[in-house]
Amino acid sequence: MDALAPSGPSALAAIAGIGIDLCPPARMAQARERWGTRARAIFSPAELDAFPGGELAVPWAAREAALKAVGLPSVLGAPLGDFRVVPAADGRLAFDLGPAARAALEARGLATLALAVTRVAGVVLALATAHAPGAAPHAIAWGALPARGAPSATARAAALLALRPLLPAADPAAATWTGGADRAPALALPGGPPILVSLTHDGGLAAAAVAVPAPEARR
């Protein structure tokens, strides 16, 4: 997308939902002391050991991204403690879902949840993708831009930039945005394929993740 972009188009993945979130480590530096028992309810003992100080921004951003990918409307009432983050066998990070999180996925016809984490200008950027049996293969792009002016407008601009390599013939000026407030953002292009999109802004950045069905899935 630009010099701050952590990702170009990804390999195809069969997904049914995406979520993205930013979290500055400084905001989480005193979380376990400030939140007290709430921190111990949200983060597992293993997470509290593995992510000291501001590094709790990693599992927090992962949880926020997961809620968006699954389609849970807010952290209020969500089983945050069940979206644990652990090292995977390849050294990357992965979700270890507890019973309530698994039930939330199953209620929405989802099977698994994948995680990718990077940093942009020191801010943690997490991407969650929800996978469902029979879901169409999608190409994904995600990244962040410096928030200039209205952060939400920058996030939408980031989404349109991310779409360029996925839909090179698309006209960004024809994009239609809906959602906002308490509704998830939605993006459509005239005559184009259905687009999965997630937006966020924090820490002086605005970020977006987009996914479009592979050409063979559009026939």
Side-chain angles (χ1 to χ4, degrees), residues 109-213:
L110 305 172
T112 59
L113 196 61
L115 174 65
V117 177
T118 189
R119 293 173 195 261
V120 179
V123 178
V124 172
L125 177 59
L127 173 76
T129 53
H131 304 255
H138 283 68
I140 307 167
W142 57 302
L145 295 171
R148 301 186 180 97
S152 58
T154 307
R156 292 193 295 270
L160 295 176
L161 283 170
L163 273 177
R164 283 182 181 174
L166 307 184
L167 297 172
D171 177 10
T176 300
W177 288 95
T178 54
D182 59 349
R183 293 184 300 143
L187 169 62
L189 289 166
I195 300 168
L196 299 177
V197 61
S198 182
L199 308 177
T200 190
H201 54 83
D202 203 346
L205 298 172
V210 295
V212 297

Side-chain angles (χ1 to χ4, degrees), residues 3-219:
L4 289 180
S7 171
S10 76
L12 293 180
I15 67 169
I18 57 173
I20 196 166
D21 194 69
L22 288 158
C23 186
R27 179 173 302 151
M28 304 297 291
Q30 303 300 320
R32 70 190 71 208
E33 294 82 6
R34 196 170 60 245
W35 293 359
T37 56
R38 179 171 175 249
R40 293 190 291 277
I42 294 173
F43 304 110
S44 69
E47 286 175 310
L48 291 171
D49 286 341
F51 301 101
E55 289 303 296
L56 277 179
V58 173
W60 179 257
R63 280 163 167 78
E64 291 271 19
L67 299 190
K68 296 173 186 177
V70 173
L72 295 170
S74 77
V75 299
L76 299 177
L80 294 179
D82 270 20
F83 287 93
R84 297 179 293 266
V85 175
V86 298
D90 61 3
R92 300 179 186 179
L93 297 175
F95 287 109
D96 174 25
L97 302 180
R102 291 191 178 279
L105 265 67
E106 291 171 5
R108 291 159 177 78
L110 305 172
T112 59
L113 196 61
L115 174 65
V117 177
T118 189
R119 293 173 195 261
V120 179
V123 178
V124 172
L125 177 59
L127 173 76
T129 53
H131 304 255
H138 283 68
I140 307 167
W142 57 302
L145 295 171
R148 301 186 180 97
S152 58
T154 307
R156 292 193 295 270
L160 295 176
L161 283 170
L163 273 177
R164 283 182 181 174
L166 307 184
L167 297 172
D171 177 10
T176 300
W177 288 95
T178 54
D182 59 349
R183 293 184 300 143
L187 169 62
L189 289 166
I195 300 168
L196 299 177
V197 61
S198 182
L199 308 177
T200 190
H201 54 83
D202 203 346
L205 298 172
V210 295
V212 297
E216 60 269 23
R218 303 176 203 165
R219 297 176 189 143

